[in-house]
Amino acid sequence: MLEGLREAVRKFLGGGSTYKDSVEEFIRDLQRELIRADVNVALVKKLSDTIRQRALEQEPPPGVSRRDWFLKIVYEELVKVFGGEEPPSVEPRKVPWVILLVGVQGSGKTTTAGKLARFYTARGYRVGLVETDTYRPGALEQLRTLAQMSGALFYGEPAGRAEEIAARGVKELESRGAQVVIVDTAGRHGYGDEQALLDEMRRIADAVSPDEVALVIDAAIGQRAFDLARRFHEATPIGTIIVTKLDGTAKGGGVLSAVAATGARVKFVGTGEKVDELEPFDPQGFVSRIMGLGDVRSLLERVREAEAEERAVKVVEEDIEKGRVNMRTIYAQLKSIRRLGPLSRVLEMLPLSTLPVKVGDEQVKLGEEKINKWLHIIESMTYEELDDPDIIDRSRMRRIAIGSGTTVNDVKELLAYYKSVKAVVKRLKRDRSLLRRFGLQAGD
């Protein structure tokens, strides 16, 4: 699924064309792959327009190439399509935790029940499986076998009303110490007869009061998942989705994007036939894989650091404009910029004779080691000291030095630097023409 997207990424990174031409070519490749993966055409167009607009109108932060910036945009927009940044929590919020599985015939519901049992057993939970399907021949024995394979408790009856079997099963397994109880249901209702499925789900839900109702969907149904997931999501406020057979279908993109469009959350995906081939669905990890960017997280981190740097520059500029500086201002510089940023530009523009104190090159161009040391010192200060560093006396210096693993002289050096910056900022505040020289507005 979406295998061609990796080639599109490689081609884009290879360059050759202008940035704008490369963007357009990549978007064409992306559209082709998404439509091939059965993603809704209207959604593909909307996604393409958003990516194009951001890529051509937004500027990357300093230090980030336009091509890295573009891949971050594509990554972020695809993550939105497939469910958002936050993967759903798979941990039970309490024990015992009852999961009711529903799904149409052929969705792989019973196999998924066994996989879920294996998943939670491996996480240290005592798991129980309940079979309520008395219609499909072999369902009872299939789940019993899966329970044995996954180390789970089992309950089932060969005949009877599904809701009554479910109630007895949950009660029995909880009395035997089950912490997670998974109830499998019949799937005799095919696509197009989902209302009967939902009615049966409600009867069983009324009988067992499940903590979670999970709809199992076969990835092969593609965009038809939208209507099924929407109706299911409207029927119960506690619904989650499990997508099966994602490994062998070209329509996986369709089912994932369709489900995400309803507001329901994909919680697990089946990646194979074996009992251990079920994994929590992580939209970020999924997009990383289909883009072929094993190091996409490091790429994103580089861009986010640059964005943080840009925000820090604005913080420092605001402080300079207002004639305000404290240790939080210094920390913003050191932490996010790792260089003096706008202050170095300010110092370069000021004649040395105008400075109240002499600021040497070693203070303008701080080394990485000194920056890290000063960050530790600032992190060891109290809120009061951060807001008013002038109160730091010899006693406070000793406490801060011990807390940060540095020396009193290191603390003194930082305070001397702070006073130099404060003096420069005061000078700038008094002379508004200097503010205008490097693009800041004169404050009131």
Side-chain angles (χ1 to χ4, degrees):
M1 180 175 58
L2 296 169
E3 293 175 356
L5 189 54
R6 299 180 186 181
E7 179 58 34
V9 170
R10 283 194 292 269
K11 187 165 54 174
F12 178 81
L13 289 174
S17 303
T18 65
Y19 174 72
K20 183 177 180 181
D21 289 342
S22 296
V23 166
E24 293 297 340
E25 185 177 4
F26 182 92
I27 288 176
R28 286 193 296 272
D29 291 339
L30 176 65
Q31 290 173 333
R32 185 164 45 249
E33 287 303 310
L34 291 175
I35 292 172
R36 186 180 298 166
D38 207 35
V39 177
N40 181 271
V41 174
L43 179 59
V44 172
K45 184 181 186 307
K46 181 180 177 182
L47 173 68
S48 302
D49 291 344
T50 301
I51 291 175
R52 180 183 292 107
Q53 181 178 14
R54 290 187 61 189
L56 299 180
E57 294 182 4
Q58 294 180 1
E59 288 295 324
V64 175
S65 73
R66 292 184 70 86
R67 290 182 184 268
D68 279 355
W69 176 247
F70 176 75
L71 289 182
K72 176 178 180 288
I73 291 172
V74 173
Y75 172 86
E76 289 175 344
E77 296 303 326
L78 282 175
V79 167
K80 289 179 186 176
V81 167
F82 294 118
E85 291 187 4
E86 291 298 322
S89 173
V90 298
E91 295 296 332
R93 291 191 291 274
K94 66 178 183 65
V95 292
W97 185 260
V98 179
I99 303 172
L100 177 62
L101 294 186
V102 297
V104 298
Q105 186 174 11
S107 61
K109 196 165 58 288
T110 301
T111 301
T112 297
K115 290 180 176 182
L116 277 175
R118 173 63 177 269
F119 177 84
Y120 283 110
T121 299
R123 294 175 96 86
Y125 293 96
R126 188 165 177 77
V127 181
L129 287 168
V130 180
E131 181 57 77
T132 67
D133 185 355
T134 59
Y135 299 92
R136 182 170 65 87
L140 189 69
E141 290 307 313
Q142 180 187 3
L143 194 61
R144 191 196 307 273
T145 300
L146 288 169
Q148 293 172 347
M149 292 173 62
S150 60
L153 303 172
F154 176 76
Y155 182 92
E157 299 177 20
R161 293 180 61 84
E163 58 268 30
E164 295 173 359
I165 296 173
R168 288 190 290 268
V170 170
K171 183 177 180 180
E172 167 69 17
L173 293 179
E174 287 183 352
S175 71
R176 292 166 61 185
Q179 298 169 302
V180 177
V181 179
I182 302 162
V183 181
D184 184 29
T185 60
R188 65 188 184 283
H189 316 291
Y191 294 107
D193 192 22
E194 291 83 20
Q195 190 56 50
L197 175 66
L198 293 174
D199 289 343
E200 183 172 85
M201 177 195 75
R202 290 191 187 95
R203 291 198 301 272
I204 297 176
D206 289 342
V208 302
S209 299
D211 300 291
E212 180 179 356
V213 183
L215 175 66
V216 181
I217 298 180
D218 184 340
I221 73 169
Q223 294 179 41
R224 287 183 296 164
F226 178 86
D227 185 60
L228 182 63
R230 178 185 56 80
R231 295 180 64 188
F232 167 77
H233 197 53
E234 291 171 353
T236 172
I238 53 175
T240 55
I241 309 292
I242 301 175
V243 178
T244 63
K245 308 173 189 176
L246 193 62
D247 59 317
T249 176
K251 296 188 175 184
V255 68
L256 291 173
S257 57
V259 169
T262 68
R265 295 303 306 272
V266 176
K267 191 167 187 176
F268 291 97
V269 292
T271 57
E273 293 296 324
K274 296 179 181 178
V275 73
D276 60 349
E277 291 180 322
L278 181 80
E279 62 184 48
F281 181 62
D282 175 10
Q284 291 185 324
F286 175 74
V287 172
S288 296
R289 287 200 299 272
I290 63 174
M291 288 183 68
L293 292 174
D295 62 344
V296 70
R297 295 187 190 277
S298 61
L299 180 151
L300 292 175
E301 190 59 34
R302 290 199 307 274
V303 176
R304 284 167 183 160
E305 285 178 0
E307 290 173 329
E309 173 182 315
E310 196 170 33
R311 287 193 298 271
V313 167
K314 292 178 181 177
V315 168
V316 176
E317 288 178 345
E318 288 173 3
D319 284 348
I320 293 174
E321 178 186 344
K322 296 175 181 177
R324 175 189 64 203
V325 63
N326 56 29
M327 203 56 76
R328 297 180 191 272
T329 313
I330 304 299
Y331 190 82
Q333 289 181 336
L334 301 176
K335 181 69 174 178
S336 297
I337 306 176
R338 296 296 175 116
R339 63 178 186 269
L340 291 186
L343 182 62
S344 63
R345 297 199 298 269
V346 172
L347 295 179
E348 289 169 2
M349 297 172 75
L350 292 175
L352 290 179
S353 60
T354 68
L355 298 180
V357 293
K358 182 174 176 59
V359 181
D361 290 342
E362 71 281 357
Q363 289 177 298
V364 175
K365 298 179 180 178
L366 297 176
E368 186 73 16
E369 183 179 348
K370 183 175 290 187
I371 288 177
N372 289 332
K373 187 180 293 185
W374 284 4
L375 287 172
H376 293 319
I377 291 173
I378 298 173
E379 288 165 355
S380 298
M381 293 181 181
T382 64
Y383 291 138
E384 186 182 20
E385 291 162 349
L386 291 173
D387 293 328
D388 186 10
D390 293 322
I391 68 171
I392 300 176
D393 54 18
R394 182 80 181 181
S395 175
R396 289 176 182 262
M397 286 184 197
R398 283 196 296 269
R399 192 206 77 245
I400 293 169
I402 293 172
S404 59
T406 59
T407 67
V408 171
N409 285 336
D410 291 326
V411 179
K412 282 182 177 180
E413 186 180 25
L414 172 60
L415 290 173
Y417 171 72
Y418 153 74
K419 290 175 181 177
S420 298
V421 173
K422 185 177 180 181
V424 171
V425 170
K426 282 186 177 180
R427 168 66 176 139
L428 292 172
K429 179 65 174 178
R430 286 195 301 268
D431 191 340
R432 297 188 178 189
S433 65
L434 291 174
L435 288 173
R436 289 191 293 270
R437 283 176 60 183
F438 59 91
L440 295 174
Q441 299 297 317
D444 295 329

